[in-house]
Amino acid sequence: MIGRAITSIFWGIAADRLGRKPVIAFSMLSVVILQIFFGLSTKYWMAIAARLLLGSLNGLLGPIKAYAIEVCQTEHQALGISVVNTVWGLGVVIGPGLGGYLAQPAEKYPQTFSKESVFGRFPYLLPCLVVSIFAAIVLISCIWPPETIHKHKITEKDIRIVKALPSQQAHWDMPRKKSLLQNWPWMSTMLSYCLFGLHETAYSEILSIWAVSDSKYGGLSFSSGDIGQVLSVSGASLLVYQLIIYHWVNKFLGPLNSSRIASSLSILVLATFPFMTYLSGTKLSFAIYAAAMTKSVLGITISCGMCLLQNNAVRQDQRGTANGIATTGMSFFKAVAPVGAGILFSWAQKRHDATFFPGDQVVFLMLILVQLCGLISTFEPFLVLPPVEECR
């Protein structure tokens, strides 16, 4: 995350100047090489260095979002963004399982892998090698997708034509402001995007530690396996929603209205969590599964909506940079959120017997307030939409 936060803006600028494909291809090459280096690490500093370099040299996230927007027609952009989020979520689900299954093969599968072999000496090389092979296949496949950034030289004839236009028409034909920092529609959308990202990361952190905490402290006394199953089911429902349902939601409501509605409903869902401590058995299981699935669906609706607004608020030749800056901001907020959530939860457990919003109630109250701030930021004067002339 530190490496990604440091270099995301650079990779975004590179994607705008060199094209999406070179940055995507280089990012996959970095995965091929550095994932193997991570598997061959014998010292802690080597493993840390491999992860730092991988985050620094892998500029995939920003350009791939820009590419998903550009390669799709306007009516299919929501599907393109949801596919990016879906395959990312799929990787998050499959990755840990793959690592757990293939790590330390000499101990788990001694009949196949000897302790004197390279996989016995480097017990975590096998899962890293599998990932590198898969990344190499993806790297080769980068040959076929088309490039969406096309550089054309402006001729003197074109310049003379623009200068000859009446001043008002020439103003209409001007693109959006060149500097992203002067593009308030994009800046305001990125602020909302980061606020919602802060909320989602803090919610994920708090949900897990709240569910496994003892009931005498306002928790649910779940085991780690129980909450893991809840998260797996909510993740599976998320994949179905993104691939099949979300683009219809975006089609009928639009990215802004769908984000506002989802944010409002999220506040209501968050308000139900503290009352689950009064339930047990089947009722508790139904309530926690339903709430977690609903909250995940609403969260991804907001995330996709904000991403669409961001990418449509900038010129095509600025999308890579814009997504790079957004990734940097999001990485910062995602780094702060777990720490803040942990401190908040520890403080809340000390005031479990308080009269005003005791224990778990104050935790979810804070989550509601952050979500409310995000919702408010989607309305004027905080959120500014591009003028109709610029959108055209």
Side-chain angles (χ1 to χ4, degrees), residues 69-128:
I69 289 286
E70 293 161 358
V71 82
C72 296
Q73 295 180 354
T74 304
E75 63 270 21
H76 297 140
Q77 287 180 352
L79 180 60
I81 285 295
S82 65
V83 166
V84 171
N85 289 326
T86 298
V87 295
W88 184 273
L90 193 62
V92 170
V93 171
I94 294 176
L98 183 70
Y101 185 72
L102 298 179
Q104 300 174 317
E107 296 181 12
K108 294 179 181 177
Y109 318 108
Q111 67 279 9
T112 307
F113 300 95
S114 140
K115 289 188 177 181
E116 289 75 29
S117 67
V118 65
F119 296 110
R121 185 182 174 190
F122 302 102
Y124 300 98
L125 176 60
L126 182 59
C128 295

Side-chain angles (χ1 to χ4, degrees), residues 70 77 82 95 108 131 152 176 195 281 300 323 346 362 367:
E70 293 161 358
Q77 287 180 352
S82 65
K108 294 179 181 177
V131 172
H152 302 286
R176 278 164 237 167
L195 277 174
I300 204 64
N323 280 288
S346 299
V362 75
L367 286 177

Side-chain angles (χ1 to χ4, degrees), residues 7 33 54 78 132 142 178 273:
T7 62
I33 297 172
L54 184 57
S132 291
C142 288
K178 191 66 178 177
F273 280 98

Side-chain angles (χ1 to χ4, degrees), residues 243-321:
L243 284 177
I244 300 175
I245 302 174
Y246 174 70
H247 67 283
W248 292 106
V249 173
N250 181 78
K251 181 178 180 180
F252 288 110
L253 296 176
L256 182 57
N257 286 332
S258 63
S259 298
R260 288 171 175 171
I261 293 172
S263 181
S264 302
L265 293 176
S266 290
I267 293 174
L268 298 178
V269 173
L270 286 169
T272 66
F273 280 98
F275 298 101
M276 293 181 192
T277 55
Y278 300 105
L279 303 175
S280 61
T282 306
K283 291 182 179 178
L284 174 59
S285 297
F286 176 79
I288 189 68
Y289 275 96
M293 290 167 63
T294 305
K295 183 68 179 67
S296 296
V297 165
L298 295 174
I300 204 64
T301 300
I302 297 169
S303 177
C304 289
M306 290 294 105
C307 191
L308 285 168
L309 289 173
Q310 275 188 82
N311 281 276
N312 286 323
V314 297
R315 293 157 46 100
Q316 183 187 16
D317 60 357
Q318 292 178 319
R319 280 198 184 119
T321 306

Side-chain angles (χ1 to χ4, degrees), residues 4-5 7-13 62-63 319-329:
R4 193 171 78 174
T7 62
S8 289
I9 297 177
F10 165 78
W11 287 117
I13 295 172
R319 280 198 184 119
T321 306
N323 280 288
I325 296 174
T327 301
T328 298

